[in-house]
């Protein structure tokens, strides 16, 4: 293979064809440590009209919006089998008034997006909801946050009075035929004291039903927190539990095509088979990392002015992500 010189390295580098799409050899995969090819570097020193746009490749490929943003937009939610099953667990737990529901998933697996999808599908005529995104609070702050989410403006000051106010508000909702759903994201960060307060809130009930349905969503560390001996009373009340799994290779491919289509894609750019496999391997099936790799790989293809995202584009994206976390 021909050699080319990279001014930032002392050792010669293999000259790669920018539009190469063939299967990489074992030697190339195991020894691939190349900076961007000359066409990529040249794009930074030669002016291009596309760099006037902050979205870079969006207009070039004809997207109506960016396909791989990492914000939890329910519109882009891809219901893989594991996400579909998790959503059904949430619905079942709330509909059947199971009290405590726990959803666990690795960072970036789509818990928050799934949560927003779940909230959007709840009938507002039947359910009042409170979503807590910052659980690093005291017991009093948690009570105030829940009441604020339920529309209360004037809040009691003491913890005892806040609990009494909570009971009154919940009874008012029940009297109007509406159930109350409390969702706490990042629940692995809850202190023991706040978790105990939440357990006590679950004691609020009428003769017929619990006043509050509670959904705890968190990272795998949440299971370790709930396994503590002092939380056994809370643990015994968890009747619905689900572990959200990463995407399989097939699901990853469908996920990427799903987002490209929803963003208004018309087939440009095309991801090669090896690019898709590299994305799944590099992301381990975590949707947020899939988004990150796809975004960087598409930018690489855009700078090459190519309608194809190939293995090498993804490989560069993986190397860049690995550099950031090294």
């Amino acid at each position: 293979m021909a050699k080319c010189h990279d001014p930032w390295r002392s050792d010669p580098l293999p000259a790669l064809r920018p539009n190469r799409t063939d299967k990489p050899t074992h030697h190339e995969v195991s020894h691939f440590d190349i900076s961007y090819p000359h066409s990529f570097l040249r794009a930074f020193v030669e002016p291009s009209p596309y760099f006037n746009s902050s979205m870079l490749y969006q207009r070039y490929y004809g997207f109506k919006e960016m396909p791989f943003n990492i914000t939890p937009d329910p519109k882009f939610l891809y219901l893989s089998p594991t996400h579909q099953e998790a959503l059904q667990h949430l619905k079942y737990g709330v509909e059947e008034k199971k009290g405590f529901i726990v959803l666990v998933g690795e960072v970036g697996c789509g818990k928050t997006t799934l949560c927003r999808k779940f909230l959007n599908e709840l009938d507002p005529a039947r359910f009042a909801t409170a979503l807590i995104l910052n659980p690093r609070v005291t017991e009093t702050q948690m009570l105030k946050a829940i009441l604020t989410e339920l529309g209360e403006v004037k809040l009691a000051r003491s913890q005892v009075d806040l609990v009494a106010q909570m009971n009154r508000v919940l009874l008012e909702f029940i009297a109007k035929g509406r159930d109350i759903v409390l969702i706490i994201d990042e629940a692995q960060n809850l202190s023991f004291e706040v978790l105990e307060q939440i357990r006590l809130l679950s004691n609020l009930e009428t003769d017929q039903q619990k006043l509050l349905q509670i959904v705890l969503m968190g990272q795998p560390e949440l299971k370790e927190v709930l396994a503590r001996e002092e939380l056994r009373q809370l643990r015994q009340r968890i009747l619905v539990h689900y572990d959200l799994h990463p995407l399989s290779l097939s699901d990853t491919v469908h996920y990427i095509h799903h987002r490209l289509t929803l963003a208004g894609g018309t087939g440009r750019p095309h991801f090669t088979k090896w690019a898709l496999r590299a994305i799944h391997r590099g992301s381990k099936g975590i949707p947020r990392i899939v988004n990150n790799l796809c975004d960087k790989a598409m930018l690489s293809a855009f700078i090459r002015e190519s309608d194809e995202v190939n293995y090498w584009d993804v490989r560069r994206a993986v190397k860049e992500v690995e550099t950031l976390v090294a």
Side-chain angles (χ1 to χ4, degrees):
M1 180 180 292
K3 302 291 183 179
C4 66
H5 180 67
D6 186 329
W8 287 282
R9 293 177 52 133
S10 58
D11 56 318
L13 298 172
L16 301 178
R17 298 192 301 276
N19 293 318
R20 176 176 178 175
T21 60
D22 56 314
K23 176 181 176 180
T25 66
H26 174 73
H27 176 78
E28 291 170 335
V29 172
S30 59
H31 292 82
F32 183 79
D33 185 23
I34 185 171
S35 300
Y36 298 103
H38 290 309
S39 59
F40 184 95
L41 294 173
R42 189 167 58 247
F44 285 98
V45 295
E46 294 182 0
S48 171
Y50 296 107
F51 278 84
N52 294 330
S53 168
S54 60
M55 297 305 180
L56 294 176
Y57 61 72
Q58 180 180 339
R59 185 178 302 175
Y60 180 77
Y61 289 123
F63 292 111
K64 296 178 182 178
E65 54 187 309
M66 297 294 283
F68 294 106
N69 284 330
I70 61 174
T71 51
D73 186 346
K75 181 182 71 174
F76 280 94
L77 176 63
Y78 169 69
L79 287 176
S80 69
T82 185
H83 287 82
Q84 182 67 51
E85 193 170 348
L87 185 60
Q88 293 304 320
H89 274 72
L90 291 174
K91 290 180 177 179
Y92 167 76
V94 169
E95 293 282 351
E96 299 299 323
K97 299 180 174 62
K98 292 298 182 180
F100 268 102
I101 306 164
V102 172
L103 176 64
V104 174
E106 189 54 78
V107 177
C109 266
K111 297 184 298 296
T112 302
T113 307
L114 189 67
C115 171
R116 295 188 184 279
K117 169 75 171 178
F118 170 63
L119 287 173
N120 288 343
E121 292 190 358
L122 289 178
D123 184 358
R126 287 190 54 202
F127 296 98
T129 59
L131 175 61
I132 307 299
L133 298 175
N134 178 24
R136 291 185 180 273
V137 293
T138 65
E139 304 99 295
T140 300
Q141 290 171 333
M142 176 61 76
L143 292 170
K144 288 183 177 180
I146 296 171
L147 287 168
T148 300
E149 282 285 303
L150 292 175
E152 289 293 293
V153 177
K154 295 182 179 181
L155 303 177
R157 294 189 176 183
S158 72
Q159 187 171 330
V160 173
D161 290 338
L162 284 168
V163 173
Q165 183 179 3
M166 180 78 68
N167 189 62
R168 175 182 57 79
V169 170
L170 297 181
L171 286 172
E172 289 175 356
F173 277 110
I174 295 297
K176 296 176 182 177
R178 300 178 71 190
D179 292 327
I180 305 90
V181 181
L182 168 62
I183 302 176
I184 302 177
D185 201 3
E186 302 295 340
Q188 75 279 352
N189 294 323
L190 291 170
S191 66
F192 165 74
E193 292 76 15
V194 174
L195 281 168
E196 183 63 13
Q197 179 63 71
I198 292 171
R199 182 187 69 81
L200 294 174
L201 288 180
S202 71
N203 288 336
L204 300 177
E205 58 188 9
T206 66
D207 292 336
Q208 290 79 32
Q209 69 176 82
K210 295 285 187 181
L211 298 184
L212 192 61
Q213 307 298 315
I214 302 171
V215 180
L216 300 179
M217 304 176 64
Q219 298 167 22
E221 292 80 3
L222 176 58
K223 291 192 288 186
E224 299 175 12
V225 172
L226 296 175
R228 291 160 58 181
E229 179 64 21
E230 59 268 34
L231 290 173
R232 63 186 181 280
Q233 286 182 293
L234 187 154
R235 188 169 59 249
Q236 291 170 359
R237 300 184 182 202
I238 298 172
L239 300 181
V240 179
H241 171 269
Y242 188 78
D243 282 310
L244 196 60
H245 303 293
L247 301 175
S248 65
L249 172 59
S250 175
D251 289 332
T252 300
V253 172
H254 285 104
Y255 173 84
I256 292 171
H257 291 156
H258 171 79
R259 294 191 70 105
L260 290 171
T261 301
L262 288 180
T266 57
R268 300 177 54 238
H270 165 70
F271 284 73
T272 69
K273 176 181 68 174
W274 288 101
L276 293 169
R277 290 185 178 183
I279 290 171
H280 179 258
R281 183 170 60 252
S283 67
K284 296 180 173 60
I286 305 297
R288 185 181 298 165
I289 303 179
V290 172
N291 288 357
N292 197 353
L293 293 180
C294 285
D295 183 68
K296 295 180 186 302
M298 288 177 66
L299 176 60
S300 176
F302 157 75
I303 292 174
R304 294 189 295 105
E305 298 182 359
S306 173
D307 283 346
E308 186 174 80
V309 177
N310 61 34
Y311 171 86
W312 305 108
D313 294 317
V314 177
R315 184 63 176 168
R316 295 178 196 111
V318 172
K319 296 290 286 185
E320 183 176 341
V321 171
E322 290 176 347
T323 300
L324 291 174
V325 300

